[in-house]
Amino acid sequence: MFYKKLIPTNSAIMKKIVFLTGAGMSVESGFKTFRGSDGLWEDYPVDQVATHEAWENNPALVTAFYNMLRQKLFKAQPNEGHRLIQQLEKDYDVVVVTQNVDNLHEKAGSKKVLHLHGELTKVTSSRHPDDESYQIELTEDNPTVEPGTKARDGSLLRPFIVFFNEGVPMLAAAIHEVQQADILVIIGTSLNVYPAAGLVLYASARCHIYLIDPEPVAAPSNKTIHFIRKGASEGMKEFIERLDQKS
């Protein structure tokens, strides 16, 4: 299982930092937030391209939408915030739990990335979407799927995306990571979308929590949270400065 890849071998000697990243993490790389003030993503209504009902009603439209988005992703590059997270792997056990479907953390070199909402670069069986044996990784040279293309089990190939109102298969793994964290850093997420928003509640009493976002975020009142009111890259710089001051 994918989760086994996340279990560190050096956790006894290195402090563990878990990053929970949302759409704001990738804004500097040219991606819009999934839930903007207008409720649109890439100018499409969410209910037309990101729900199970949308897939059932018009799989050709949904397939075309993710083909378009995937081609944009392959042109995108990690920003400094992504790279700074990766660089911390030299001194810390770093795990990234991301709500984003892009692969920018991986492009930046992060080794342990857990995708809560799926991966845009993959397609899978409609009948068994979470079965790894049916998942296909698309490449920059071959980024699209023809509408109507079928998986090996005879069902339509669908984006490997957790649509709205679907379950989140990796949630239990994410909870485990947060429970083990010495430091939890939340970047670019409004903490409004559940169940991901509830992950902060699983941080232990000993865990130091930081929240990086240029906008006000309604964080849980029962947790002590250090706020850094900056974007991903500048916020990561300040976070690292604070880490250096404590070491």
Side-chain angles (χ1 to χ4, degrees):
M1 294 291 291
F2 173 70
Y3 176 53
K4 292 181 180 178
K5 302 175 185 177
L6 295 173
I7 299 176
T9 58
N10 57 355
S11 58
I13 59 173
M14 300 178 76
K15 279 193 173 183
K16 180 168 190 156
I17 304 180
V18 174
F19 288 90
L20 173 60
T21 65
M25 184 79 229
S26 299
V27 166
E28 294 170 34
S29 296
F31 275 66
K32 292 183 181 180
T33 57
F34 192 89
R35 290 178 180 268
S37 59
D38 55 3
L40 304 180
W41 188 30
E42 297 289 337
D43 301 320
Y44 282 76
V46 166
D47 61 4
Q48 288 186 13
V49 295
T51 66
H52 186 77
E53 291 75 18
W55 171 253
E56 293 288 336
N57 293 335
N58 197 341
L61 173 65
V62 175
T63 297
F65 171 76
Y66 287 97
N67 281 342
M68 175 273 294
L69 203 61
R70 196 177 299 114
Q71 291 177 79
K72 287 189 176 186
L73 173 59
F74 281 125
K75 295 176 183 177
Q77 295 301 319
N79 59 56
E80 189 172 11
H82 292 107
R83 292 191 290 271
L84 289 172
I85 289 174
Q86 188 279 325
Q87 289 171 21
L88 286 172
E89 292 182 5
K90 293 181 293 185
D91 301 304
Y92 297 88
D93 173 23
V94 176
V95 173
V96 177
V97 176
T98 186
Q99 296 172 255
N100 299 335
V101 297
D102 63 56
N103 64 348
L104 296 175
H105 284 293
E106 288 91 342
K107 278 188 175 182
S110 288
K111 299 295 190 298
K112 291 180 280 190
V113 184
L114 189 160
H115 286 269
L116 284 175
H117 296 157
E119 299 174 64
L120 181 58
T121 57
K122 295 180 180 179
V123 289
T124 188
S125 155
S126 293
R127 191 173 298 135
H128 305 289
D130 300 319
D131 188 330
E132 291 183 4
S133 67
Y134 291 110
Q135 294 167 15
I136 300 171
E137 180 91 31
L138 300 178
T139 64
E140 189 169 359
D141 295 332
N142 184 29
T144 61
V145 173
E146 285 295 319
T149 303
K150 293 185 177 180
R152 289 187 295 103
D153 63 1
S155 69
L156 288 177
L157 273 180
R158 59 165 273 181
F160 182 54
I161 301 294
V162 177
F163 293 136
F164 281 82
N165 300 322
E166 290 185 328
V168 180
M170 299 304 293
L171 183 62
I175 289 172
H176 175 80
E177 297 297 337
V178 172
Q179 288 174 329
Q180 301 302 313
D182 297 297
I183 301 170
L184 174 64
V185 186
I186 304 162
I187 306 178
T189 175
S190 64
L191 294 181
N192 284 329
V193 180
Y194 285 84
L199 286 172
V200 65
L201 300 176
Y202 290 92
S204 69
R206 64 177 173 79
C207 181
H208 298 276
I209 306 174
Y210 294 82
L211 196 155
I212 299 172
D213 200 291
E215 302 296 329
V217 175
S221 58
N222 63 337
K223 294 288 185 181
T224 299
I225 298 178
H226 308 282
F227 292 88
I228 300 176
R229 291 285 294 276
K230 295 180 178 179
S233 295
E234 291 304 313
M236 274 300 300
K237 289 178 185 177
E238 182 172 330
F239 168 68
I240 290 172
E241 288 176 2
R242 295 191 189 190
L243 275 183
D244 290 341
Q245 290 169 4
K246 289 186 176 182
S247 60

